[in-house]
Amino acid sequence: MFHNFLAFYGKKLYLIISKGVAEKENMSTPITMPKQGQSVETCVLLEWMKKKGEQVKQGEILFSYETDKASFEFESPVSGVLLETFFSAQDDVPVHTAVAVIGEPGESVEHYRPEKDRPAEKNHETGKIPSLPAGEASALPVSAEGTIPQEPGSASPRAKKRADERGIDLTGVNGTGPGVRIIERDVLALPAPARTRRMQVPEEGTGRHDRSGTVERGASPAEDTVSEVKLSNMRKIIGSRMHQSLQQSAQLTMHAWADATALAACRKRFKSLFKEGKSAADITITDMVALAAARTLPSHPELNGLYKEEKVLRYRHVHLAMAVDTPRGLMVPVVRFADLLPLSSLSAQIKELAAQCREGAINPDLLSGGTITISNLGAFGIESFTPILNPPQVAILGVNAIVPRPVQTERGGCEVRPHIGFSLTIDHRVVDGAPGARFLKALCDAVAAIDSMLAVWG
């Protein structure tokens, strides 16, 4: 009996020791999806720069990926062979999830494989999946991502929020997150997008040329092909936030004009100094308007704040969010403490942040924390528009084109002067029209006297 006992447990001990030695000898390195920013749950894997089986050197670009705000390149932390990739290009990957393994040929990668791709472990004797012994239910296994497997249907806070916004019932939905947890991308993927279809031109129409039932030479073909463009992760986020903004706030937009004679003269002077090499900064209309807004806002605290959980957070200083048009979509970097900056420093920061956004190299932390947003469409000739609030901010300032407008002179005559338009949207739940109008008037006065104001502000 003792011999049988020793043989049984001796074999067990041998297996344990052998497994430990094997794991020690397995020097492969898992590559996980980095977390960029506190609010980021998933990233889209854009492109693999290396293929499975290829040699990888430390510091080489392994793959590129994007969040809802910026794109990045991942440098390999080690040298070796790319043993396995667990995700393909355009896959939405939860942060901290293994996407690949680098090591030496022959090393096992299965213990790094994400839970969603790993086959269920079976009892080799019965072929059944083993259950936890009684009394050990609390000792739940940990997945490859370092998370405890979730019950089917459990959802992250952001996923629940998106589901509530879109009116989606998550009952019976299995997610793609760790432990089949429902994450934000799962909600955004419901319902499935419409398929590509061919549209038929009606055989009969209501126009005069359609009654004969014939198509004249040079007319449109009888059918057209509609292409389907998959929305990027960033585009989905922008659309969701804009929709949420309009649904969950009471937006009121008011418009005003400011005399831009001095503004245009200052721009001409700054441009000339920059071209002559006498100034390191190419000061633009946007820069001067941003400065005027930043210096005017502290006297109008109702507009410089955030609305969160039935409370208004009013800030002493202005953290100016600037809307930037990029090839990937709208991005809104933030210039912090803009009210304390001189014009040259403010201009430099606006340009630097905009360049980083367009290059896709912006730090996600620089895309949050704004207290008010400025959106400039003036370069496109837009004379007025209705900017959509950037929640939880309570105000956004739209900057329009400079156009000639007639004004009455002191002698009762009429002359034409350049004017710049402003469109201010406020959240009427927490800001009334009068405070918004007072800020807009003060801003117009500051812009009209920008030459003298620059002497005061420095």
Side-chain angles (χ1 to χ4, degrees):
M1 182 176 179
F2 177 76
H3 175 76
N4 293 337
F5 175 87
L6 183 61
F8 177 78
Y9 283 100
K11 184 177 181 181
K12 289 281 187 181
L13 181 61
Y14 170 77
L15 291 174
I16 293 173
I17 293 174
S18 298
K19 183 179 179 181
V21 171
E23 289 179 350
K24 185 175 181 180
E25 291 178 350
N26 190 349
M27 303 299 290
S28 57
T29 302
I31 305 300
T32 59
M33 179 62 73
K35 184 177 179 66
Q36 297 286 358
Q38 296 300 317
S39 63
V40 176
E41 287 186 343
T42 64
C43 299
V44 176
L45 199 160
L46 296 178
E47 181 183 4
W48 284 104
M49 306 303 178
K50 294 287 184 177
K51 296 179 181 179
K52 178 180 176 181
E54 288 187 342
Q55 190 73 30
V56 180
K57 294 182 180 180
Q58 182 178 359
E60 280 189 315
I61 303 300
L62 187 59
F63 63 89
S64 60
Y65 63 101
E66 72 172 0
T67 67
D68 59 327
K69 299 174 180 177
S71 59
F72 307 88
E73 292 180 333
F74 183 90
E75 296 183 359
S76 176
V78 295
S79 298
V81 175
L82 184 58
L83 300 177
E84 185 62 270
T85 58
F86 300 128
F87 294 89
S88 303
Q90 301 306 317
D91 279 352
D92 209 357
V93 184
V95 297
H96 300 318
T97 300
V99 297
V101 179
I102 294 177
E104 297 301 324
E107 290 181 321
S108 174
V109 301
E110 291 307 312
H111 52 295
Y112 296 127
R113 189 176 297 278
E115 195 72 23
K116 71 180 185 68
D117 295 329
R118 185 181 300 175
E121 296 182 3
K122 295 184 178 181
N123 186 303
H124 294 288
E125 296 180 3
T126 64
K128 296 180 180 180
I129 298 175
S131 59
L132 283 175
E136 296 185 14
S138 60
L140 292 175
V142 178
S143 70
E145 293 89 330
T147 60
I148 296 176
Q150 306 291 322
E151 290 296 325
S154 64
S156 70
R158 290 186 65 180
K160 291 179 180 178
K161 183 178 179 181
R162 291 284 179 259
D164 291 340
E165 293 169 0
R166 303 180 67 185
I168 295 176
D169 183 5
L170 298 179
T171 303
V173 176
N174 285 333
T176 59
V180 301
R181 193 184 195 199
I182 301 171
I183 56 179
E184 185 180 23
R185 61 152 179 181
D186 299 319
V187 179
L188 294 176
L190 297 173
R195 300 294 181 185
T196 302
R197 66 184 187 275
R198 300 180 73 85
M199 297 182 65
Q200 298 290 335
V201 177
E203 295 181 0
E204 296 183 1
T206 57
R208 176 173 57 87
H209 297 288
D210 294 328
R211 294 175 183 172
S212 64
T214 61
V215 181
E216 297 180 6
R217 181 176 297 177
S220 300
E223 60 181 27
D224 193 7
T225 300
V226 180
S227 61
E228 182 179 278
V229 179
K230 183 179 179 181
L231 293 182
S232 67
N233 187 49
M234 182 173 173
R235 185 72 259 168
K236 291 178 183 177
I237 297 297
I238 293 173
S240 176
R241 288 178 179 170
M242 294 297 98
H243 191 206
Q244 175 190 353
S245 174
L246 290 171
Q247 280 188 322
Q248 299 183 3
S249 60
Q251 303 196 19
L252 170 67
T253 303
M254 52 191 77
H255 309 277
W257 293 91
D259 191 319
T261 304
L263 188 68
C266 286
R267 167 57 182 159
K268 184 177 181 181
R269 184 171 72 253
F270 284 130
K271 186 176 182 180
S272 177
L273 291 173
F274 179 74
K275 285 186 175 181
E276 294 172 3
K278 297 179 181 179
S279 173
D282 183 17
I283 306 298
T284 66
I285 295 293
T286 299
D287 299 334
M288 289 184 280
V289 170
L291 181 69
R295 295 301 179 92
T296 303
L297 269 170
S299 299
H300 304 268
E302 301 94 337
L303 281 76
N304 186 45
L306 311 177
Y307 181 42
K308 290 183 175 181
E309 300 175 355
E310 305 301 322
K311 295 179 181 179
V312 179
L313 306 178
R314 292 178 178 172
Y315 287 74
R316 178 182 178 185
H317 294 288
V318 180
H319 307 292
L320 199 58
M322 302 294 297
V324 178
D325 178 37
T326 77
R328 298 171 59 244
L330 176 67
M331 302 181 77
V332 192
V334 178
V335 179
R336 306 189 190 282
F337 297 97
D339 56 312
L340 303 181
L341 298 176
L343 179 58
S344 58
S345 297
L346 180 62
S347 173
Q349 288 201 32
I350 291 174
K351 291 177 175 61
E352 175 62 23
L353 290 172
Q356 291 180 19
C357 286
R358 295 188 179 102
E359 294 168 2
I362 188 76
N363 185 328
D365 292 336
L366 298 177
L367 298 171
S368 60
T371 56
I372 190 172
T373 297
I374 291 181
S375 178
N376 189 348
L377 296 182
F380 302 102
I382 302 301
E383 297 186 17
S384 68
F385 66 108
T386 53
I388 299 176
L389 287 173
N390 184 15
Q393 296 173 17
V394 299
I396 179 172
L397 178 67
V399 181
N400 304 312
I402 295 178
V403 297
R405 286 174 62 88
V407 296
Q408 187 175 7
T409 63
E410 294 180 355
R411 297 182 178 181
C414 181
E415 66 180 24
V416 176
R417 295 179 185 173
H419 281 70
I420 185 170
F422 295 112
S423 300
L424 176 70
T425 297
I426 59 174
D427 189 341
H428 214 330
R429 294 177 300 171
V430 293
V431 180
D432 288 331
R438 282 193 287 268
F439 165 72
L440 203 52
K441 183 180 185 306
L443 175 65
C444 289
D445 291 343
V447 169
I450 193 69
D451 49 354
S452 58
M453 298 305 293
L454 288 176
V456 176
W457 294 334

